[in-house]
Amino acid sequence: FATPVISHQPILTAPALKPLTIRAKVNSPSDVKWVQVLYRSVNQTKDYETLEMKPLDDQGNYEAVIPADKIDPRFDFMYLIQAMDSQHHGVMFPDFNQQTPYFVVRLERGEN
């Protein structure tokens, strides 16, 4: 069986106190059922929140906008992307077999 394939350019830095747009391309031999971004502050007391990524076109491009009030400026930010196809084959990106299973975004807070 073939799982969906997620292509994504990791976001390494982002301005604090602004919404964060995450885009990904998902290709799958069968229909993509859903694509989600899981995110939280780099703060061990927080659980991941899940946001549905919306299809932008019929080419497999998806996007989600994380609201600014969900991004705590005191902490950097981490996220991962997951997708499932109509055959219930799921995939996470980044793949924990190859690297740390999340991306960390360094928030640019500006110098006081």
Side-chain angles (χ1 to χ4, degrees):
F1 70 95
T3 58
V5 175
I6 299 174
S7 313
H8 171 70
Q9 185 67 45
I11 299 167
L12 302 178
T13 62
L17 308 172
K18 294 241 173 26
L20 181 63
T21 300
I22 296 183
R23 293 187 182 95
K25 189 172 175 85
V26 182
N27 297 99
S28 176
S30 55
D31 291 337
V32 174
K33 193 170 183 184
W34 50 256
V35 182
Q36 298 170 332
V37 58
L38 279 69
Y39 63 91
R40 68 177 175 86
S41 295
V42 181
N43 171 350
Q44 301 310 318
T45 66
K46 300 290 184 199
D47 291 324
Y48 279 105
E49 293 196 52
T50 304
L51 190 61
E52 191 79 21
M53 295 186 75
K54 305 276 189 235
L56 293 175
D57 54 32
D58 57 8
Q59 307 295 309
N61 291 294
Y62 288 79
E63 178 180 282
V65 179
I66 298 168
D69 63 4
K70 296 284 190 184
I71 302 174
D72 185 335
R74 295 171 301 172
F75 298 96
D76 284 339
F77 188 78
M78 56 200 284
Y79 71 95
L80 58 99
I81 297 168
Q82 59 184 12
M84 174 134 353
D85 69 16
S86 57
Q87 306 295 310
H88 302 288
H89 300 140
V91 65
M92 297 179 85
F93 187 84
D95 181 347
F96 64 87
N97 293 312
Q98 296 173 15
Q99 66 184 94
T100 313
Y102 52 81
F103 298 110
V104 174
V105 182
R106 192 173 54 77
L107 292 182
E108 298 161 343
R109 297 169 185 88
E111 301 307 317
N112 293 339

